[in-house]
Amino acid sequence: SRTGYDIDHIRDIREICSIPLIASGGAGTAQHFVDLFQKANPDGALAASVFHKQLISIPSLKTLLNREGVCIRM
């Protein structure tokens, strides 16, 4: 939908889930990833169309996440 991840739902699942949690669906901007990791604490996030359609570049997203204190692989 590119309107952002369902952070409340992912946060609720994170509280009860002891296995790795990967969020999927909703990313439309780089800020959506920042919000997700800072507010819901998943182990990872999926996104495809924003990269395939070049709406977000992976290097710029990694730079932003790193700057915002989100632990990523560079």
Side-chain angles (χ1 to χ4, degrees):
S1 66
R2 293 194 202 127
T3 58
Y5 292 95
D6 186 345
I7 291 174
D8 292 335
H9 186 223
I10 296 165
R11 185 184 310 122
D12 290 345
I13 293 170
R14 170 78 294 162
E15 289 179 12
I16 62 171
C17 183
S18 62
I19 61 173
L21 176 62
I22 308 299
S24 179
T29 68
Q31 187 61 45
H32 290 153
F33 290 90
V34 173
D35 294 343
L36 171 69
F37 285 106
Q38 289 181 342
K39 297 176 182 176
N41 197 30
D43 296 288
L46 296 176
S49 67
V50 293
F51 301 126
H52 295 303
K53 296 181 180 190
Q54 299 178 341
L55 301 174
I56 301 171
S57 77
I58 293 171
S60 67
L61 177 60
K62 285 184 171 190
T63 298
L64 174 63
L65 291 172
N66 188 46
R67 187 173 63 235
E68 292 293 327
V70 176
C71 183
I72 61 160
R73 289 185 225 162
M74 292 297 282

